[in-house]
């Protein structure tokens, strides 16, 4: 074949595109029920935004960003995640918190393609801006679980941790640094650099050896200040009250992004195999200020559409049947064309065949479109004020009066 899609990208052919649209539609409806509004931001953003927000020491920024210079020499990134662009847009657009926002769209990461992992993938995300209390953290998870349950995904778990705040996380970083310094030589070259600049990032190193070493290191939970401990405990207490029971604490969960504070979480399902995560998020109380806005507490999550499609149960609701209309001649079209709008106004799906094409050809085409019914509009029937309707399942054909057609097809 002459042309192929770029490595790590994916085509959504109609059957899968239909499932994707269905998932997106349920997501939109769920967000609306929780009082969220949509926001759309560019796929292109300045590279510096992600350096500052996502973090210069993260795998995402160091290894996975698509970067290029445009024709004027600006260095741009294809967004690797949604949150930094949303916060930039909120600050730039002068939106005043509190705000509840959701977004859908493609994200780009130059990763090794694997099952369910693409270089262009799609995220469904939300952000709550300007709410600092622990109930909001629970409400955000409640939205996620409500959405997942609405599309029939049940067998998953939510991993939870707290990363502390500006007051308590430096002490943990120090302790981690002290612990890992004695093991420095055994760490991978990346982590040796992180040890100096951002030791927390060592916790999401994918190198097995590094993982083994920090297993025995200090734990964040032992360093949380009383405010952070209380926030986390209160958040946890709301979950069972909201019917959320499928969670467990994960003391090494840090989520691979610099801006998280306090609550972080990840959605995992064993059905996905070794790449078992299908989304996650957390609180980011400092990001607004880091990006030049007013200090504003915030929390959000993003779910990966491609992974959700892998988890989607088979046989979600059937598409309404297609009705194919075959006009046998231009004159028949002129006399019978109101049928098209009558049916479409009643929300029926209508494909109109090429006017005047031989019936045999039109039936063949109707079959390719998997039409359920073919309405044949021809001179003889029209004289009687009727049309012929062919049932494509049984092959049976009958005459129906024009004014009864809609009722019959409904
Ligand atoms: Zn704290
Ligand atoms: Zn490492």
């Amino acid at each position: 074949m002459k042309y192929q899609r770029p490595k790590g990208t994916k085509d959504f052919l109609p059957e899968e595109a239909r499932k994707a649209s269905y998932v997106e539609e349920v997501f939109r409806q769920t967000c609306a029920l929780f009082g969220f509004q949509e926001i759309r931001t560019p796929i292109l953003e300045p590279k510096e935004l992600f350096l500052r927000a996502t973090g210069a020491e993260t795998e995402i920024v160091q290894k996975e960003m698509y970067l290029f210079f445009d024709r004027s020499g600006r260095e741009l990134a294809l967004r690797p995640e949604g949150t930094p662009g949303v916060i930039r847009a909120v600050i730039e657009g002068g939106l005043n918190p509190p705000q509840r926002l959701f977004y859908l769209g493609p994200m780009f990461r130059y990763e090794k393609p694997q099952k369910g992992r693409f270089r262009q993938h799609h995220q469904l995300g939300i952000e709550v801006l300007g709410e600092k209390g622990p109930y909001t953290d629970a409400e955000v998870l409640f939205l996620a679980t409500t959405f997942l349950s609405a599309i029939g995904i049940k067998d998953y778990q939510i991993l939870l941790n707290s990363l502390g705040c500006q007051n308590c996380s430096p002490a943990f970083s120090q302790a981690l640094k002290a612990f890992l310094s004695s093991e420095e030589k055994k760490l991978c070259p990346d982590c040796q650099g992180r040890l100096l600049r951002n030791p927390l990032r060592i916790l999401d190193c994918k190198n097995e050896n590094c993982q083994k070493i920090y297993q025995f290191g200090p734990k964040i939970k032992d360093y949380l200040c009383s405010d952070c401990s209380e926030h986390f405990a209160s958040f946890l207490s709301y979950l069972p009250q909201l019917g959320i029971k499928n969670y467990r604490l994960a003391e090494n969960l840090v989520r691979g992004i610099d801006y998280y504070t306090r609550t972080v979480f990840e959605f995992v399902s064993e059905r996905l195999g070794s790449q078992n995560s299908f989304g996650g998020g957390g609180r980011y109380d400092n990001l607004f200020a880091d990006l030049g806005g007013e200090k504003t507490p915030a929390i959000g999550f993003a779910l990966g559409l491609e992974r959700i499609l892998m988890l989607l149960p088979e046989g979600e609701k059937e598409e309404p049947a297609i009705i194919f209309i075959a006009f046998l001649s231009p004159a028949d079209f002129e006399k019978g064309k109101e049928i098209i709008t009558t049916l479409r106004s009643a929300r029926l799906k209508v494909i109109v065949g090429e006017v005047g094409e031989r019936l045999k050809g039109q039936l063949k085409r109707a079959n390719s479109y998997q039409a359920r019914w073919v309405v044949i509009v021809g001179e003889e029937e029209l004289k009687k004020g009727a049309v012929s309707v062919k049932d494509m399942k049984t092959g049976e054909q009958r005459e129906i009066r024009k004014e009864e057609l809609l009722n019959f097809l409904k």
Side-chain angles (χ1 to χ4, degrees), residues 133-378:
Y135 178 73
T136 299
D137 303 23
E139 174 82 350
V140 157
L141 281 190
F142 192 33
L143 193 163
T145 57
T146 303
F147 162 64
L148 290 169
S149 143
I151 54 173
I153 294 179
K154 291 188 179 70
D155 43 354
Y156 66 93
Q157 276 207 310
I158 307 168
L159 309 182
L160 302 173
N161 197 13
S162 174
L163 298 185
C165 65
Q166 275 168 321
N167 300 327
C168 56
S169 73
F172 170 68
S173 270
Q174 277 307 315
L176 186 66
K177 195 169 178 174
F179 170 80
L180 290 171
S181 294
S182 58
E183 311 273 351
E184 186 178 354
K185 293 276 144 29
K186 296 183 201 157
L187 293 169
C188 74
D190 287 340
C191 285
Q192 293 185 15
R194 289 169 183 144
L195 190 55
L196 291 172
R197 294 186 296 268
N198 190 346
L200 198 61
R201 289 280 68 83
I202 295 175
L203 297 192
D204 40 53
C205 179
K206 284 159 193 151
N207 183 304
E208 265 182 41
N209 213 26
C210 297
Q211 290 181 358
K212 251 182 230 153
I213 294 168
Y214 72 64
Q215 285 301 323
F216 303 101
K219 301 299 175 207
I220 304 173
K221 65 175 195 304
D222 301 322
Y223 290 81
L224 295 181
C225 66
S226 59
D227 281 355
C228 286
S229 296
E230 274 165 33
H231 182 100
F232 196 51
S234 170
F235 156 65
L236 291 177
S237 75
Y238 287 119
L239 297 180
Q241 301 190 66
L242 294 170
I244 301 172
K245 292 176 182 133
N246 53 334
Y247 66 86
R248 65 184 159 83
L249 304 184
E251 54 189 12
N252 286 324
L253 181 70
V254 289
R255 295 276 312 140
I257 285 175
D258 271 358
Y259 49 67
Y260 286 126
T261 51
R262 292 195 164 171
T263 313
V264 287
F265 50 89
E266 194 161 292
F267 301 92
V268 296
S269 173
E270 278 166 16
R271 278 174 53 208
L272 293 170
S274 61
Q275 298 291 324
N276 66 354
S277 164
F278 62 97
R283 191 162 265 293
Y284 52 94
D285 292 342
N286 303 323
L287 184 58
F288 267 79
D290 287 349
L291 295 182
E294 301 262 325
K295 189 164 167 51
T296 305
I299 181 169
F301 70 71
L303 298 169
L305 176 66
E306 284 78 359
R307 303 253 175 118
I308 284 182
L309 291 177
M310 290 165 72
L311 294 172
L312 202 64
E314 287 300 320
E316 89 284 19
K317 60 181 183 323
E318 249 181 65
E319 281 290 274
I322 285 175
I323 297 158
F324 189 99
I325 307 184
F327 293 99
L328 298 184
S329 74
D332 298 331
F333 178 80
E334 214 181 316
K335 287 179 204 132
K337 59 184 181 300
E338 80 282 355
I339 294 173
I340 305 172
T341 33
T342 306
L343 298 185
R344 284 191 185 140
S345 304
R347 316 294 300 160
L348 298 178
K349 282 190 186 175
V350 173
I351 293 178
V352 182
E354 185 55 40
V355 173
E357 192 190 349
R358 284 174 53 223
L359 181 60
K360 198 177 162 196
Q362 297 214 50
L363 287 177
K364 206 173 151 194
R365 218 171 278 281
N367 204 36
S368 309
Y369 284 124
Q370 297 178 313
R372 176 73 183 80
W373 305 99
V374 178
V375 176
I376 303 162
V377 186

Side-chain angles (χ1 to χ4, degrees), residues 61-97:
V61 166
Q62 284 193 337
K63 297 180 178 170
E64 297 172 356
M65 266 216 291
Y66 274 89
L67 295 171
F68 66 98
F69 291 95
D70 73 5
R71 287 166 193 266
S72 307
R74 300 178 190 91
E75 194 168 20
L76 298 176
L78 297 183
R79 61 183 185 193
E81 54 141 340
T83 302
V86 170
I87 303 313
R88 179 208 45 72
V90 167
I91 296 171
E92 195 172 341
L95 291 187
N96 288 321

